[in-house]
Amino acid sequence: MSVLTRNEAQTRAQLLDVHRYTVDLDLTTGEATFDSTTAIRFTARTAGDTFVEIKPETLRSLSLDGQPLDPERLDGNRYPLDRLTAGPHELTVAATMRYSRTGEGMHRFTDPADGETYVYTQLFMEDVQRVFAAFDQPDLKSVFDLTVTTPTGWTVLGNGVSTQAADGRWHIAPTPPISTYLVAVAAGPWHSVTTQHAGLPFGIHCRRSLAPHLDADADEILDITRACYDRYHEKFDEPYPFDSYDQAFVPEFNAGAMENPGLVTFRDEFVYRSAVTDTERQTRAMVVAHEMAHMWFGDLVTLTWWDDIWLNESFAEYMGYQTLTEATRFTDTWTDFGVARKGWGYDADQRPSTHPVAPDPDAVPDTASALLNFDGISYAKGASALRQLVAWLGEKDFLAGINTHFSRHKFANATLADFIDNLATATDRDVHTWADAWLRTTGVDTLTAHVATSGHSWNLTVDRAGDRPHRVTVGTYDHSLDTHTGTDQLTLRDRFDIDIPQDGTPVTQPGHRPDLVVLNDHDLTYAKIRLDPGSWDTALTHLSGIPDPLTRALVWNTARDMVRDGELHPTVHLTAARTHLPYETDLALVQGVLGFAATQIADRYLPPQDRPTALATLTSLCRDLLRRTEGLTAKDWEQAPGTTTPGSPDPGLRLIAVRHFIDAATQPDAIQDWLREGTVPGGPELDAELRWRILTRLAVLGATDETAIAHELDKDPSATGQEGAARCRAALPTAEAKAAAWQAMFTDDTLSNYLFTATAQGFWQPGQSELLHPYVARYYPDAIALAARRGPAIAEAAGRHAFPAHAVDPDSIRLGEQALTDPALTPALRRKLTDQLDDLRRALAVRDAH
């Protein structure tokens, strides 16, 4: 199969205007394939040669302007259109297409809970070619008019309002001009909750087996949807550009969600079957806000080529967090961004595979290379850069520039240059120079504070390692005594803004030296922060006493960065977590710090002989959190989300503690008792998620067997249960279990994307290194062959989840470096291996540093 190059796309865009696709899909032809017929009306501006893309099971027929073409001329995924004459044309293509089990193209899923079948499209980048013929590039926008034939009892969802004809066929209202990758269809016996808002039909949809869980959260999801919709209409001059707004929660979805106009698709783990924390609800709400922002950023105005993917993702990420903060009860979303997302950007930006937020067009020569840039840089770093831009430019001018951008390019395409030019119309500031410094460069700046005392004042200077300008808030804090508790707290003295680089003159402030000076106190810029020695000592001993959770998040990120850079011993971070998390009130912070301590410090940064002590520390920490949340009643567990009384035990905090206690268990007795009794003493009762979590840990410890796994699967035969069983079976510490899991992942080629991921997650366990050692060398050739056979989605899963991440040793790194020289390595897997190997080197360096 050929990937599309930027040069080819530019040539084709100069030749063609594409007007309308009329697509007919027949989903009644069997379980393996469906029929696809497409008529494309287009105009050639001049005479010339071009091609159309399709990836069929069988190409049955083609005709151009009524004249038949030879299907045998299909070359991979391209059919040549030679000697086109200038003027209008109509191309008709009929094909048999294959359903996907990897979340690409037209994915087909049969629900093991009730036997119902669902299909949905994910057409991003190149996968429209798996569903119908197309001139597949983002700057050849067109109207799409789809008809879908389905089995009896199914409902069809699409980019526009769908109606059922008398013969059982469904017609989806024609779209405004959109890009090929944004076309969407979802068909099946959906459970739907519908309403009207602002004169438009709104709906949320899921498979029938999840209906009770969607119904339980329907008001919350729809309230957030309406609030975000209204807030975007206050920000943006252009109205919502489509005829309806549906949100479908679909099975085995590879991404978090996809911004298809009028039909956003989400992974259906967001329909919560089990108890979740309020932070997890906030995450779901942020994804709703993010995808709705795409209706303007990406759908109304679309990138011209994939080098500008940040114009989609960075803006949606920034707008999602900011709008959720402004329009909903989730007012601390930037704390969650700081602790859960920003590190993703920092990590990606320090690897060899880093790239600018807005890479040079020559750095994205084709679609295969473009796919690699959907990472922490395009999302988290880009959003951070925009947050800094707003701080520097002011929100009023920022929104004015955005609205000019929408007005000039609606239903069309735009580039970075277009966007910067449009911003420049709203301000006297030099946004072009700002863009060069922030969007065209790589790496993370480091800002280091130096504090000195001078008479009755104190001075602050900041060293900058890096070249970007920064506007930051400085927060100063002093010790104070809480008269109610008798404890030493930190109280905010002052906040003030400074620009970095400074003009060479230290910032002078009156009074004695503060006990804590925090650069970037509102976390408005993207940089690693280093506190002065006195402030760092205060932070380590009084972190939980810092009054603002966003400031605490920034200090925790500083500790995280210092561990990763070998500047702070991992056990010091663990000790700080053990000291301060029992008093932490922000759930996102508790979850984020515990997650880093467990998956990075205990599992990777500490040598194997120190891991039991680290797990014991985490277990003790979780016991403290459980004690803090004693006294919860059944009513507390059933209360509405976000209604916890201040000062009362938080069910979400207890749930986090229970999860991490399970994951850190080194002896099976306590969690076996929980599983046997069906409850944690003092709550919660075990739901399906917690039962599978315990069983997975028991499998790792060798304290369960196939009989128990099969028994649990009988109780929960859902798709999630199937994944839980696969994870447990792969985690069993026996040669037979590991061999079976490896065969399923790398030889059989029958696992769906989700079952592959679950198996991979169970397979590699840091406490099973002797048993797993032979598989480290096997991984590289087997993963390379698998990626070539099964494509980018499985390549991504193989590189992310099936990689031997706990093999922190020079031999594993050497094997990986050799694999990178293999010419058979696909781009998607190469990128993942490059990143994973860099993480192994970092982990090894952290161990060696101490």
Side-chain angles (χ1 to χ4, degrees):
M1 297 291 177
S2 299
V3 297
L4 184 69
T5 70
R6 178 171 172 267
N7 289 337
E8 289 173 328
Q10 288 177 330
T11 298
R12 190 162 61 178
Q14 291 166 359
L15 177 66
L16 301 183
D17 284 316
V18 186
H19 309 299
R20 191 179 193 91
Y21 288 78
T22 303
V23 181
D24 194 319
L25 303 176
D26 187 346
L27 308 181
T28 65
T29 61
E31 297 183 359
T33 62
F34 61 97
D35 284 351
S36 169
T37 303
T38 307
I40 311 173
R41 289 169 48 201
F42 65 97
T43 297
R45 296 193 185 99
T46 63
D49 300 335
T50 190
F51 56 90
V52 68
E53 291 110 322
I54 188 169
K55 299 177 181 177
E57 178 75 4
T58 305
L59 185 55
R60 298 198 307 271
S61 65
L62 304 91
S63 66
L64 181 65
D65 303 329
Q67 298 300 310
L69 302 176
D70 182 5
E72 296 299 321
R73 296 193 66 208
L74 181 67
D75 183 8
N77 61 322
R78 294 183 176 187
Y79 191 91
L81 298 175
D82 302 331
R83 297 184 295 278
L84 280 176
T85 57
H89 298 279
E90 181 167 321
L91 175 70
T92 302
V93 182
T96 300
M97 313 297 287
R98 180 163 290 278
Y99 288 114
S100 164
R101 291 299 315 283
T102 60
E104 301 159 297
M106 181 78 80
H107 186 84
R108 183 181 175 96
F109 170 86
T110 298
D111 193 339
D114 58 12
E116 297 284 7
T117 295
Y118 302 83
V119 302
Y120 64 87
T121 57
Q122 171 67 349
L123 306 188
F124 184 75
M125 194 67 77
E126 296 181 321
D127 286 335
V128 68
Q129 303 166 35
R130 297 171 179 261
V131 177
F132 57 87
F135 297 113
D136 191 12
Q137 60 190 73
D139 58 341
L140 287 179
K141 285 190 167 184
S142 178
V143 172
F144 289 85
D145 187 349
L146 272 70
T147 300
V148 185
T149 302
T150 70
T152 302
W154 283 22
T155 301
V156 171
L157 309 170
N159 298 106
V161 172
S162 62
T163 54
Q164 186 174 16
D167 60 358
R169 287 159 57 84
W170 292 78
H171 181 243
I172 301 169
T175 68
I178 62 173
S179 299
T180 50
Y181 77 91
L182 294 170
V183 176
V185 173
W190 302 109
H191 171 74
S192 301
V193 180
T194 60
T195 186
Q196 294 272 330
H197 183 67
L200 296 177
F202 279 32
I204 53 177
H205 315 269
C206 71
R207 48 195 163 101
R208 285 180 178 174
S209 65
L210 295 178
H213 309 293
L214 184 68
D215 288 347
D217 282 355
D219 288 345
E220 177 183 341
I221 295 169
L222 289 171
D223 283 348
I224 289 165
T225 303
R226 287 185 286 255
C228 291
Y229 182 94
D230 292 344
R231 184 60 179 147
Y232 285 133
H233 278 83
E234 293 171 1
K235 289 175 178 285
F236 305 150
D237 294 341
E238 290 293 331
Y240 174 74
F242 306 104
D243 72 358
S244 54
Y245 198 77
D246 285 301
Q247 298 174 100
F249 297 88
V250 299
E252 298 188 324
F253 197 66
N254 284 324
M258 179 64 197
E259 65 270 20
N260 313 302
L263 176 59
V264 178
T265 42
F266 298 80
R267 57 172 53 218
D268 65 11
E269 289 97 324
F270 283 129
V271 179
Y272 299 127
R273 298 194 322 146
S274 298
V276 294
T277 69
D278 210 41
T279 298
E280 288 166 307
R281 292 184 178 278
Q282 177 180 279
T283 297
R284 179 175 66 187
M286 196 290 296
V287 178
V288 169
H290 174 115
E291 301 307 324
M292 186 178 286
H294 272 308
M295 299 300 116
W296 289 265
F297 294 103
D299 296 359
L300 178 66
V301 181
T302 309
L303 46 76
T304 300
W305 180 246
W306 300 107
D307 55 314
D308 280 326
I309 190 60
W310 79 282
L311 285 171
N312 287 12
E313 299 305 342
S314 300
F315 279 89
E317 187 89 342
Y318 169 76
M319 282 292 173
Y321 279 98
Q322 184 63 27
T323 302
L324 203 65
T325 297
E326 296 167 355
T328 74
R329 69 179 177 87
F330 296 113
T331 56
D332 290 326
T333 58
W334 286 113
T335 300
D336 185 45
F337 177 82
V339 74
R341 297 289 274 186
K342 211 164 186 181
W344 182 31
Y346 289 146
D347 294 354
D349 212 8
Q350 297 174 81
R351 294 181 177 129
S353 60
T354 187
H355 58 88
V357 172
D360 187 277
D362 291 340
V364 190
D366 54 41
T367 52
S369 57
L371 191 61
L372 309 182
N373 287 349
F374 287 82
D375 57 12
I377 295 171
S378 294
Y379 286 78
K381 180 182 179 180
S384 299
L386 290 175
R387 199 165 188 230
Q388 173 65 189
L389 175 62
V390 173
W392 177 72
L393 196 63
E395 186 176 43
K396 180 181 178 181
D397 289 350
F398 176 69
L399 289 176
I402 283 174
N403 281 311
T404 298
H405 188 65
F406 292 156
S407 176
R408 288 179 173 177
H409 303 286
K410 59 184 177 182
F411 297 115
N413 300 82
T415 65
L416 168 64
D418 295 324
F419 174 72
I420 298 302
D421 288 346
N422 293 327
L423 270 186
T425 66
T427 180
D428 293 330
R429 289 184 177 253
D430 187 354
V431 291
H432 291 87
T433 298
W434 183 93
D436 287 341
W438 273 92
L439 305 178
R440 293 296 197 191
T441 59
T442 63
V444 185
D445 289 3
T446 300
L447 307 180
T448 302
H450 300 279
V451 177
T453 301
S454 176
H456 298 290
S457 62
W458 62 278
N459 299 326
L460 170 67
T461 56
V462 180
D463 287 342
R464 177 188 61 162
D467 298 317
R468 298 187 189 100
H470 300 265
R471 184 162 183 80
V472 301
T473 299
V474 178
T476 61
Y477 300 82
D478 294 320
H479 289 298
S480 64
L481 184 68
D482 187 321
T483 56
H484 295 288
T485 64
T487 58
D488 187 9
Q489 300 291 314
L490 289 170
T491 302
L492 177 69
R493 180 198 295 186
D494 191 19
R495 283 194 176 109
F496 54 91
D497 294 336
I498 63 172
D499 289 308
I500 302 168
Q502 296 167 272
D503 61 7
T505 304
V507 177
T508 300
Q509 295 288 303
H512 64 83
R513 182 207 189 286
D515 295 309
L516 175 64
V517 178
V518 180
L519 294 178
N520 196 27
D521 194 34
H522 281 152
D523 202 21
L524 294 178
T525 198
Y526 173 87
K528 293 194 288 188
I529 303 300
R530 295 294 183 264
L531 307 183
D532 68 277
S535 294
W536 182 239
D537 289 343
T538 298
L540 279 179
T541 54
H542 292 80
L543 208 162
S544 55
I546 297 172
D548 189 335
L550 188 55
T551 307
R552 296 196 299 274
L554 184 135
V555 174
W556 277 117
N557 271 349
T558 296
R560 176 188 185 277
D561 291 336
M562 292 173 70
V563 170
R564 285 173 45 82
D565 291 345
E567 299 172 16
L568 183 70
H569 197 289
T571 58
V572 176
H573 187 288
L574 267 180
T575 299
R578 178 73 180 83
T579 301
H580 296 293
L581 286 191
Y583 306 99
E584 180 55 62
T585 57
D586 190 279
L587 296 187
L589 273 172
V590 176
Q591 181 61 51
V593 174
L594 269 175
F596 178 72
T599 63
Q600 299 301 313
I601 290 178
D603 288 356
R604 302 189 78 179
Y605 292 157
L606 289 174
Q609 64 268 23
D610 293 342
R611 186 168 181 270
T613 301
L615 293 179
T617 299
L618 291 172
T619 299
S620 297
L621 169 54
C622 291
R623 284 199 180 99
D624 281 352
L625 293 173
L626 290 172
R627 281 191 287 269
R628 175 180 158 187
T629 54
E630 288 176 345
L632 287 164
T633 66
K635 185 177 180 181
D636 292 323
W637 288 100
E638 296 170 359
Q639 66 187 344
T643 59
T644 301
T645 303
S648 64
D650 188 333
L653 182 61
R654 188 170 182 85
L655 182 59
I656 292 170
V658 167
R659 289 171 176 172
H660 280 273
F661 186 92
I662 293 167
D663 294 347
T666 56
Q667 299 297 322
D669 297 350
I671 59 176
Q672 275 181 329
D673 289 344
W674 292 0
L675 189 62
R676 186 181 307 110
E677 298 298 325
T679 187
V680 178
E685 294 185 2
L686 299 187
D687 54 30
E689 188 273 335
L690 288 176
R691 292 188 66 84
W692 282 116
R693 197 179 198 106
I694 290 174
L695 200 60
T696 299
R697 190 61 189 164
L698 292 175
V700 172
L701 297 173
T704 193
D705 56 22
E706 171 57 33
T707 300
I709 296 169
H711 177 70
E712 195 65 34
L713 186 57
D714 286 341
K715 295 171 63 176
D716 178 22
S718 68
T720 306
Q722 299 282 350
E723 293 155 27
R727 193 176 295 109
C728 288
R729 287 166 176 149
L732 290 169
T734 67
E736 295 78 11
K738 298 302 182 186
W742 197 263
Q743 172 82 8
M745 286 190 291
F746 290 105
T747 303
D748 291 350
D749 288 357
T750 57
L751 291 180
S752 71
N753 48 339
Y754 270 40
L755 287 174
F756 180 95
T757 294
T759 304
Q761 289 169 336
F763 187 87
W764 295 106
Q765 298 294 332
Q768 299 174 352
S769 56
E770 184 174 342
L771 178 64
L772 294 171
H773 179 72
Y775 290 97
V776 175
R778 291 181 60 180
Y779 168 77
Y780 295 101
D782 287 3
I784 290 170
L786 177 76
R789 290 195 312 271
R790 300 202 66 190
I794 294 298
E796 163 76 11
R800 181 185 299 274
H801 301 291
F803 182 82
H806 307 302
V808 183
D809 60 73
D811 287 343
S812 179
I813 295 170
R814 177 181 52 79
L815 289 168
E817 290 171 342
Q818 290 175 353
L820 289 178
T821 67
D822 191 328
L825 195 58
T826 64
L829 185 58
R830 179 181 297 279
R831 169 63 185 272
K832 294 307 301 180
L833 293 187
T834 298
D835 291 350
Q836 292 278 27
L837 289 168
D838 189 65
D839 288 351
L840 284 185
R841 292 187 202 97
R842 183 178 290 272
L844 192 60
V846 169
R847 292 183 182 183
D848 291 344
H850 305 292

